[in-house]
Amino acid sequence: MGPQVEGSIELLVTMGTEPKLSTVMMNFLVVKVNSTHNGILGLPGLNALQAVVSTPHLVMKFPTDHGVGECRGSQVAARRCYEGYLRTKGKEPQMHLIHLDDNRDIGEEERSEPAEELVHVEIVAGDATHTVQIGAGLIGKRKIVLINFLRTNADVFSWSVVDMPGIDRKIVEHRLSVYPTAKPVFQKKRTFAPERQEKVIEEVTKLLDAGFIEEAIYPEWLSNVVMVPKPNGKWQMCIDFIDLNKACPKDYYPLPRIDLLINATAGHEILFFMDAYSGYNQISMYVPDILKTSFIAGRDTYYYIRMPFRLKNAGASYQRLINYLFRHQIGRNVKVYVDDMLVKSLKA
């Protein structure tokens, strides 16, 4: 029987010393165990940092925008941690963080259900394909008013890419700002099993139909697709932009603190949670940079004309856009963390 999992948390982890710092987002499991450490960082975290570890020298080094950063271990500190563990042995286990991707065998139950019971409501009466969810505890006049309000404003919902024309380039477009000294990298074509290859073709067809990609001729960089298994057993297509991302500077645009967003909901009578449908893909790529996003899929090469996921600084560009669009509401009745939006009201 493994340790009891209390939940998971996503944290920004910063390594190094000023100015040679590297910050990456990592997922951790929260477990009740007696341990010498408050957090355990595994191989996925080290890979995200692109770190090289030398255990004989007790040092870890990793690339940063200002040179090679490093973290050094201390035998004195390690001994102190172990002595502290011996003093707490046999007592009530404490909360600790274990890197999520390194503990898949712990057996955390998948929590797909929300904390509150929800019911589906048809935005267009008689159309079961266009629904939203509201709290099951909402009853009486308040429920009727809310449903009527949603149906009156049904035109603001997006159900497919056809409903979304994208964001005007005058407002935002994503630039890569590749270092002038960086040499283009052309990754060798990877082969996939027939099942995955069919999925690649299927996903590429969807992107072409949506107008997010176009066929690339004479690409400037070339990346491979990567098929990532999802918890539901299906496959997700991602692009291996690791070489291109290394050649781009970091955009240190600040993201909101998720804990402050959660705390801001306290005391409000009514909350609305919204998610942007293909939000990243509504931002256009800077035209001189589109050939740099080229990737191999099947027998052809393509490039993105809309900003894709996993591209460096994509999150910063999106957060910058959202902060601009909701500049009159953020801090008053709206909170936004990348593509997750919260609308709140003290009074229903």
Side-chain angles (χ1 to χ4, degrees), residues 329-342:
Q329 279 78 39
I330 291 177
R332 183 169 63 88
N333 63 341
V334 169
K335 295 289 184 180
V336 183
Y337 183 83
V338 194
D339 59 348
D340 292 313
M341 292 164 282
L342 164 69

Side-chain angles (χ1 to χ4, degrees), residues 114-142:
E116 182 181 354
E117 185 179 354
L118 302 174
V119 294
H120 289 269
V121 173
E122 295 176 351
I123 292 296
V124 179
D127 186 352
T129 62
H130 294 170
T131 63
V132 296
Q133 293 177 312
I134 64 174
L138 201 61
I139 57 176
K141 182 180 178 181
R142 185 176 294 180

Side-chain angles (χ1 to χ4, degrees), residues 251-305:
D251 182 356
Y252 286 98
Y253 190 80
L255 295 178
R257 290 183 55 182
I258 192 67
D259 57 329
L260 296 182
L261 301 188
I262 295 173
N263 293 340
T265 64
H268 290 74
E269 286 190 4
I270 195 165
L271 303 170
F272 292 86
F273 297 95
M274 298 179 292
D275 181 67
Y277 184 82
S278 294
Y280 276 36
N281 299 136
Q282 302 316 301
I283 298 177
S284 298
M285 288 295 301
Y286 179 53
V287 175
D289 286 336
I290 58 177
L291 282 174
K292 296 182 179 69
T293 66
S294 300
F295 62 94
I296 311 169
R299 296 183 295 271
D300 299 304
T301 57
Y302 305 88
Y303 61 75
Y304 276 91
I305 57 177

Side-chain angles (χ1 to χ4, degrees), residues 97-239:
L97 303 177
I98 297 181
H99 196 265
L100 183 59
D101 291 324
D102 274 337
N103 294 273
R104 297 171 184 163
D105 58 339
I106 284 184
E108 179 188 20
E109 294 184 4
E110 184 177 345
R111 294 193 301 270
S112 58
E113 295 298 322
E116 182 181 354
E117 185 179 354
L118 302 174
V119 294
H120 289 269
V121 173
E122 295 176 351
I123 292 296
V124 179
D127 186 352
T129 62
H130 294 170
T131 63
V132 296
Q133 293 177 312
I134 64 174
L138 201 61
I139 57 176
K141 182 180 178 181
R142 185 176 294 180
K143 179 179 180 180
I144 296 173
V145 170
L146 173 61
I147 293 175
N148 289 337
F149 171 78
L150 293 172
R151 288 177 174 172
T152 301
N153 295 278
D155 61 312
V156 305
F157 291 92
S158 295
W159 307 105
S160 69
V161 293
V162 179
D163 300 327
M164 302 174 295
I167 304 297
D168 194 319
R169 289 183 181 273
K170 296 178 182 178
I171 297 176
V172 65
E173 58 182 5
H174 186 67
R175 302 192 180 205
L176 295 176
S177 302
V178 174
Y179 293 123
T181 56
K183 294 183 179 180
V185 176
F186 294 83
Q187 297 178 2
K188 294 183 179 179
K189 181 181 178 180
R190 297 175 186 168
T191 57
F192 297 99
E195 177 190 355
R196 300 188 193 181
Q197 187 62 43
E198 290 179 5
K199 186 62 178 178
V200 168
I201 295 174
E202 178 184 332
E203 293 299 316
V204 166
T205 301
K206 290 180 181 179
L207 292 172
L208 285 169
D209 293 341
F212 295 161
I213 64 174
E214 291 182 358
E215 188 174 351
I217 301 176
Y218 299 116
E220 296 180 10
W221 292 65
L222 197 57
S223 304
N224 274 289
V225 298
V226 179
M227 299 307 295
V228 180
K230 300 171 70 174
N232 59 9
K234 297 182 179 180
W235 293 94
Q236 178 182 6
M237 189 184 81
C238 302
I239 311 298

